Amino acid sequence: ESDTASEVSFQFGRHKKTPSTGSHSSDMASVSSVSGSVLSVYSGDFGSVDAQGTVEFALDYDEKNREFQVHVSQCKDLAVVDEKKGRSDPYVKTYLLPDKARMGKRKTSVKKRTVNPVYNEVLRYKIEKMVLLIQKLNLSVWHNDPLGRNSFLGEIEIDLASWDWSNRKLNWYPLKPRSLSAVNGADHRGVMSLSIKYVPPGSLGKWPKNPPSGEVHIWVKDVKDLLQLRPSGVDSFVKCYVLPDTSKKSYQKTRVIKRDTNPVFNHTIVYDGFHTEDLKDACVELTVWDHEKLTNHFLGGIRLGLGTGLSYGISVDWMDSTQEEVAFWQEMMLAANEWIEGLLPLRSL
């Protein structure tokens, strides 16, 4: 069962100083409409495939060109995403952690209708060897979907400080379930799988102007490894606000998934009323809660924004995005009309 999408309209605006009191007020108007089932195209569960199979690759550092090279050879026995059609369209993606923003991601081509793709491609990073040695390589395999409903197929993480650089041979490695090194074991609250997209004003058609204002689409897919508060599991749901608006009309939530520490929400929220410059000052806050009759318990959350500490020139404590959250938001800002998928660790906000 999939959840319906929700659409919320905003009018973002600059904060103005009122002369009489010197205090700040926002001319950001309230939501003008909330409607259900706007985007039924997003229905279907594409996030819960178990990782399986292996990947063959080799690592090398080219001293002359100061270049880190990941030679992605092939994968074998990947999970099948579309059971009806018996197909997966896999590609390989790499990041250098912890600073995904600075080095960016690299991707191979997509291989259609195969669980045994052959790539023979080299993914390259211009980076000094000393800097490389304090990074981890995150290599993950994904199923590519034309509507952006990409599914995670498995990953491997390698600590480059302890890598044997004399080993330039292709080797096979088992693909593992998602587990970000950024998740601190002491404060492990789970990992959220989501996709986001920015649709600029007028980018979908010139006449009539479509959409009339910019839209941010947030597709909450699933969460893995939530804290188990009771023997029966956890009854979880996700809340969403677009800060600085904390009014009821900014508030959206998913349905409650009962007795499951790995809930699949598959819920899309669309906020419109954005101008492109608002993306620098707004922050999408997603929080996961355990639902109980008397009170809901906070389980963890993420904040997507630029993490500058400022919103419309005002110092705010919620502009505190982590490096990974900032990188995710920046990638969305740079790739208009494109779904950006991510796996982000939940944290205490």
Side-chain angles (χ1 to χ4, degrees):
E1 184 194 358
S2 72
D3 222 331
T4 56
S6 319
E7 179 149 8
V8 180
S9 297
F10 277 99
Q11 281 301 271
F12 277 97
R14 303 289 166 198
H15 286 67
K16 296 173 180 174
K17 202 172 245 188
T18 49
S20 54
T21 61
S23 65
H24 292 281
S25 68
S26 169
D27 65 350
M28 181 163 46
S30 301
V31 174
S32 60
S33 69
V34 176
S35 55
S37 300
V38 180
L39 300 165
S40 56
V41 67
Y42 298 136
S43 60
D45 168 23
F46 293 83
S48 55
V49 183
D50 288 334
Q52 67 174 60
T54 54
V55 57
E56 186 186 40
F57 64 89
L59 305 184
D60 193 14
Y61 186 78
D62 180 341
E63 300 278 359
K64 183 182 170 189
N65 294 310
R66 296 176 177 175
E67 187 177 74
F68 174 49
Q69 300 171 348
V70 184
H71 178 191
V72 180
S73 173
Q74 59 184 321
C75 301
K76 272 199 177 150
D77 304 322
L78 295 175
V80 174
V81 173
D82 191 332
E83 291 286 354
K84 286 179 187 171
K85 295 178 184 171
R87 71 180 283 182
S88 294
D89 297 343
Y91 67 95
V92 175
K93 179 172 74 170
T94 59
Y95 278 112
L96 289 178
L97 301 176
D99 194 352
K100 282 167 72 174
R102 198 165 64 82
M103 296 309 301
K105 73 178 175 189
R106 306 286 186 271
K107 293 197 294 192
T108 67
S109 57
V110 176
K111 301 300 178 186
K112 298 282 183 76
R113 297 182 180 82
T114 178
V115 292
N116 300 300
V118 176
Y119 299 102
N120 284 325
E121 295 177 38
V122 179
L123 307 178
R124 304 169 189 275
Y125 290 86
K126 288 283 186 188
I127 185 171
E128 295 290 340
K129 184 80 174 275
M130 282 174 63
V131 178
L132 183 66
L133 294 181
I134 57 171
Q135 313 275 323
K136 284 189 171 74
L137 172 69
N138 177 278
L139 182 147
S140 54
V141 186
W142 295 79
H143 160 72
N144 181 71
D145 183 272
L147 294 175
R149 301 180 284 200
N150 296 344
S151 296
F152 173 84
L153 299 178
E155 72 175 3
I156 178 168
E157 261 182 26
I158 289 176
D159 188 341
L160 297 176
S162 54
W163 181 255
D164 176 9
W165 293 97
S166 66
N167 170 21
R168 296 187 178 87
K169 292 178 183 171
L170 289 165
N171 288 299
W172 288 97
Y173 302 87
L175 289 166
K176 297 177 180 177
R178 58 188 98 187
S179 64
L180 291 176
S181 62
V183 178
N184 182 328
D187 188 37
H188 181 74
R189 292 172 173 270
V191 180
M192 181 181 287
S193 170
L194 74 163
S195 288
I196 55 174
K197 173 169 71 170
Y198 177 60
V199 180
S203 61
L204 302 181
K206 291 179 181 174
W207 184 262
K209 194 175 178 189
N210 179 30
S213 67
E215 297 175 349
V216 172
H217 296 226
I218 305 143
W219 178 17
V220 181
K221 297 180 184 178
D222 60 48
V223 180
K224 292 281 193 288
D225 303 326
L226 281 175
L227 297 170
Q228 184 159 338
L229 301 182
R230 294 179 296 283
S232 62
V234 62
D235 298 344
S236 63
F237 67 98
V238 178
K239 288 183 190 178
C240 183
Y241 284 99
V242 174
L243 305 173
D245 191 347
T246 55
S247 73
K248 281 187 178 176
K249 293 182 177 173
S250 164
Y251 172 58
Q252 293 289 302
K253 68 175 182 176
T254 68
R255 70 193 190 285
V256 176
I257 305 294
K258 296 197 170 177
R259 297 182 293 281
D260 196 343
T261 53
N262 299 298
V264 176
F265 295 104
N266 198 37
H267 185 101
T268 301
I269 301 163
V270 178
Y271 289 95
D272 71 6
F274 273 87
H275 298 287
T276 305
E277 59 269 21
D278 290 315
L279 298 176
K280 301 194 301 285
D281 295 287
C283 172
V284 170
E285 182 182 82
L286 293 159
T287 51
V288 187
W289 298 78
D290 175 49
H291 178 67
E292 287 211 84
K293 282 180 182 173
L294 296 176
T295 180
N296 296 322
H297 294 286
F298 174 75
L299 297 174
I302 60 174
R303 287 192 180 126
L304 306 176
L306 291 185
T308 58
L310 296 172
S311 174
Y312 297 103
I314 300 164
S315 181
V316 290
D317 57 4
W318 44 261
M319 262 296 195
D320 65 347
S321 299
T322 64
Q323 280 185 333
E324 283 209 295
E325 292 164 355
V326 170
F328 191 45
W329 191 251
Q330 283 176 330
E331 201 172 338
M332 179 199 75
M333 290 172 70
L334 292 170
N337 291 311
E338 204 177 296
W339 281 110
I340 307 300
E341 85 267 339
L343 298 166
L344 293 171
L346 299 178
R347 58 187 176 99
S348 52
L349 298 178

